[in-house]
Structures are given as structure tokens and as C-alpha cells.
């Protein structure tokens, strides 16, 4: 199933129904899944790739997930902060929702950190201007 496969998107929507309304968008030849305006998963080649960070990667690894990687033009392999939905969750919607909630939490933490960093940067810039 490809990222643009409407049947796969519908399956994902039904499988993750416990999360409430989801939004699907196209992104770089894959699909992106949003909850409350935040991207928390990618869809590519029939795989749900969940946003992860240092707090969730160990559990995802232990559950048998693999990191989303791609090869660049120079052949170098680059890993992104997305990990596959564990196999056990593919057949268990409750388990899938649990993992997806973890991914949403990661998205929330990253958004909060970005906002805090932006505020700090603006504050620092304001301090510099006020000293001039």
C-alpha cells in the first residue's frame, strides 16, 4: 500500500479512531498524519511511522520497531525521528492508539521546546536592541 493509497489511509483512520479526528496530508511523496494540528506520524509504503524522541525510542526498539531511513544522492543513509508502528500494534487497535498517543506526546514536547526556544531568541534579540 502506498502513501497515497486511500484504502490505507482509511485503515489508519479506523485503526487509530480512538485518537479522535485526524488530518491526512501529502508530504514528500509520503503521507503525514496530524492530530490537533501537530504531525505525529508518516505513512509510507503501507507502514505507519511514529514520531519518536529519546524518551520513546528505547521502548520502540524493544518492541521491534525500526527507524525510518532514506538514502541520499551520495548514498549516505540518514535516519529520521520516526519509527515503525510495532508489529503487535498492527493487529491491535488499542495497542496502536497507545503508541500513537506516545507519538502525539513527542510532537507536543517538540512543539513546546520550539516555542520556548523561539521566545528565548526573541527575548535575547530584544535585550540586544535595548542596549544599543
Amino acid at each position: 500500500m502506498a502513501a497515497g493509497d486511500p484504502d490505507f489511509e482509511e485503515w489508519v483512520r479506523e485503526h487509530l479512531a480512538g485518537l479522535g479526528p485526524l488530518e491526512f496530508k501529502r508530504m514528500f511523496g509520503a503521507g503525514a498524519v496530524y492530530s490537533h494540528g501537530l504531525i505525529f506520524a508518516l505513512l509510507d509504503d503501507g507502514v505507519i511511522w511514529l514520531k519518536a524522541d529519546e524518551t520513546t525510542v528505547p521502548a520502540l526498539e524493544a518492541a521491534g520497531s525500526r527507524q525510518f531511513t532514506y538514502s541520499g544522492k551520495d548514498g549516505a543513509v540518514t535516519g529520521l525521528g520516526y519509527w515503525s508502528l510495532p508489529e503487535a500494534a498492527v493487529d491491535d487497535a488499542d495497542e496502536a492508539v497507545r503508541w500513537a498517543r506516545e507519538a502525539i506526546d513527542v510532537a507536543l514536547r517538540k512543539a513546546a521546546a520550539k516555542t520556548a526556544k523561539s521566545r528565548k531568541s526573541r527575548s535575547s534579540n530584544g535585550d540586544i536592541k535595548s542596549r544599543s
Side-chain angles (χ1 to χ4, degrees):
M1 295 179 209
D5 181 348
D7 292 333
F8 182 53
E9 279 187 16
E10 185 58 31
W11 179 84
V12 171
R13 190 179 304 279
E14 289 173 8
H15 204 58
L16 300 179
L19 296 174
L22 300 176
E23 187 177 355
F24 293 79
K25 295 181 182 178
R26 301 283 161 260
M27 188 173 107
F28 305 116
V33 187
Y34 293 76
S35 176
H36 305 293
L38 295 172
I39 184 172
F40 74 93
L42 301 177
L43 305 179
D44 190 45
D45 291 330
V47 178
I48 300 173
W49 299 95
L50 301 171
K51 187 178 280 275
D53 66 9
E54 65 280 351
T55 65
T56 58
V57 166
L60 286 161
E61 285 181 313
S65 293
R66 62 191 192 284
Q67 187 176 21
F68 184 94
T69 60
Y70 67 93
S71 296
K73 291 180 182 178
D74 62 357
V77 176
T78 302
L80 296 181
Y82 290 86
W83 289 69
S84 60
L85 180 69
E87 277 300 313
V90 172
D91 295 322
D92 182 340
D94 292 334
E95 185 72 5
V97 166
R98 185 181 73 75
W99 284 109
R101 282 195 176 115
E102 293 282 339
I104 292 168
D105 287 345
V106 170
L108 289 167
R109 283 194 297 275
K110 288 187 184 265
K114 187 181 280 189
T115 300
K117 186 176 180 181
S118 176
R119 283 185 187 145
K120 184 177 180 183
S121 176
R122 283 189 299 229
S123 174
S124 296
N125 289 341
D127 290 344
I128 292 170
K129 289 178 184 176
S130 66
R131 292 181 191 154
S132 304

